[in-house]
Every structure is written in C-alpha cells, then in structure tokens.
Amino acid sequence: SGVTDGILSHQKREHWPKIVATNSGIEYWWSGASLTHTDPAGERDVEPPDNVRVYYMSGTHHFPSKPELTLADDTGFRTQNHQNTVDYTPILRAALANLDRWVREGVPAPPSQCPRIGNGTGVRRETLADYYKSIPGASFPKALALRTRQDYGPGLAQGTPAYPPKEGAPYPTVVSSLDENGNDVAGVRLPDLRVPLGSYAGFNTRAAAVGGEGHQVVGGPLIGSVIPFAKTAAERQAKGDPRPSIDERYANKADYLAKVLVSAQDMAKEGYLLTEDVDVVVKHAGERYPD
C-alpha cells in the first residue's frame, strides 16, 4: 500500500504503554505471527520499539500442554503426530512479573526473543519439510495456511470498505530454524527444548479418522506436535531415526533431571523463568521422562 502505520501511530510516543507480546508456534505456523517483526515481504527484520518485547515461546502450541503422550485430545480429536507436551505457563508467569517490574520500577524486561531473518534463525516454513520427512513416522502438512493481502478499495480510509475485498499475493511466513535435535533455535526455549526428549513443533496434521488426513490442524484444536526420540539405540536403528535415542543422550533419569535443573537455572538467570518456578519445571520434566 505504500503506507507506514501502526497501532500506536496516533498516540504520542511519551504515552506509549509497555507491551509484552507472546506467541506460540501455532501463531507462527498458522497465523503468520512473524509479520509482527518482519517487513510485509518477509525479507528483513523489523525491530520492535523500545516499549515492546516480543517473545516466541519455542516449540509450543496454542495452549499449555499435558505431559502425557497422546494422539487424541480431550474431545477425541486425533492427530498423526503425538500432541505437543510443552507447558509454556512458566514463560508467561515470568513475562508478567517482568512487565510489572518494568512498569513499576523502570527495570527493562529481558530482550525480545523471536526468529530473525538476519541471523538465519528465521526461515520459510517450507524449507523445513525435508527434515521432518527424514524422521520415520513423522508427518508434515500437505499444505500450509496462507494469509493473503486484502484490498478493501479506496474508501477504506473513510470507513467505507468494499466487500468482499480483492485477494492479493500471500504474505510470507517465517518460523524458527531447527537445531540438531529438530527443535527451534529461536525464541524463549524451555528445558523441553534445551534438554529434549523429542522434537517439538507448532504444527500437527489430521489423522485419517477425522478427515483431511495429512492436512494441518487449524481452527478449534490448534494442536502442535512432539515427535519423541526412541528410548534405546536399538530401537532408533530399527526405525532408521537419525536423532540419537534417549539412552544415548542421558545415563538415566537422574542424569536427565540434573541437566534440566541446570537449564532451568540458566533460564532464571536470563530472566525468562522465575526462580520460584525452577523446581516446578524440573518436576514436570520428570513426569515426561519415559519409564
């Protein structure tokens, strides 16, 4: 459109509020959340203003998850990949406490954490398809949701938009690139991703039983994925899984939890986790470890 504008553009800068914006992986994979910090062409990063923090909650889906591995949610909706088990509640608790301190005491909240094109942590969704297809049994969406430009005609500025709008080219969607474990490198990474038991993603695909097999789960459920690691090296080799097994990563559950503790403590030092939540995060990690 050639227009430079924004939600706060009609308010004096000295009156701008402090803002903390959080998004899960679903918002990136489905809703195009990357457009909050890239240009409309998806070619360069756009830094948030000083009064704003943007946090991508890495490897999560739309709502806090339960620790159990399942292919069906509480309503019976079935997916092809196991449903995401990352609980992002600790990130939100820290973000709220940081926002409160920022407003009350003037202590800036920790820096924004989101996929960035400039440093290679932000990539187009379709570039990751081959990785997921390399994991036996993992499913990648047959088609990816698109957000298209909408032309409401010359009367829009005067409050008389034309309906239906004319659809234009789709906006590019950027998501996080992946590490060697198949997990997001960008964003606020909980121990689930730093000390992983699987590969976590903000998308999932529909099982044959619910129709539309292989298409991305959108609409009501907004479900993400976890693709668990094999328990043993023998199991991994039998499946042909390129990712090291749990037994190849950790000597035992105690070793795993010790690493989770260090990871959670690091997050607390960084300001993205409350110190009082470190033990809770370790406890929840223990519930996810396969017996």
Side-chain angles (χ1 to χ4, degrees), residues 169-182:
Y171 288 104
T173 297
V174 172
V175 298
S176 174
S177 58
L178 303 178
D179 64 16
E180 67 277 8
N181 299 309

Side-chain angles (χ1 to χ4, degrees), residues 37-174:
H37 51 80
T38 72
D39 71 322
E43 295 176 350
R44 62 181 178 85
D45 301 307
V46 176
E47 291 300 319
D50 292 342
N51 65 302
V52 176
R53 297 292 186 271
V54 176
Y55 299 133
Y56 165 48
M57 299 182 293
S58 309
T60 61
H61 61 191
H62 191 66
F63 46 86
S65 300
K66 298 178 181 179
E68 300 84 13
L69 280 177
T70 180
L71 293 170
D73 67 7
D74 293 339
T75 70
F77 187 92
R78 298 190 66 82
T79 53
Q80 291 185 302
N81 297 329
H82 284 93
Q83 297 181 9
N84 195 292
T85 57
V86 181
D87 181 5
Y88 59 65
T89 305
I91 296 176
L92 294 184
R93 283 170 51 82
L96 180 59
N98 290 332
L99 175 61
D100 182 74
R101 185 165 56 251
W102 193 10
V103 172
R104 291 175 183 268
E105 304 173 20
V107 179
S112 295
Q113 297 290 345
C114 54
R116 297 182 185 275
I117 298 168
N119 64 10
T121 62
V123 298
R124 302 289 176 87
R125 295 170 297 175
E126 54 271 20
T127 65
L128 304 180
D130 287 345
Y131 177 82
Y132 288 104
K133 292 176 181 178
S134 73
I135 303 174
S139 178
F140 188 82
K142 288 182 177 178
L144 296 168
L146 298 177
R147 302 296 171 185
T148 59
R149 291 164 172 80
Q150 306 286 306
D151 183 355
Y152 290 92
L156 179 62
Q158 289 74 43
T160 56
Y163 285 96
K166 295 180 181 177
E167 282 200 5
Y171 288 104
T173 297
V174 172

Side-chain angles (χ1 to χ4, degrees), residues 13 21-22 24 37 50 56 76 85 89 113 118 138 141 144 146 159 210 219 223 225 272 285 288-289:
R13 191 178 183 92
T22 58
S24 75
H37 51 80
D50 292 342
Y56 165 48
T85 57
T89 305
Q113 297 290 345
L144 296 168
L146 298 177
V210 297
I223 298 170
S225 301
Y272 300 105
R288 294 181 176 91
Y289 193 88

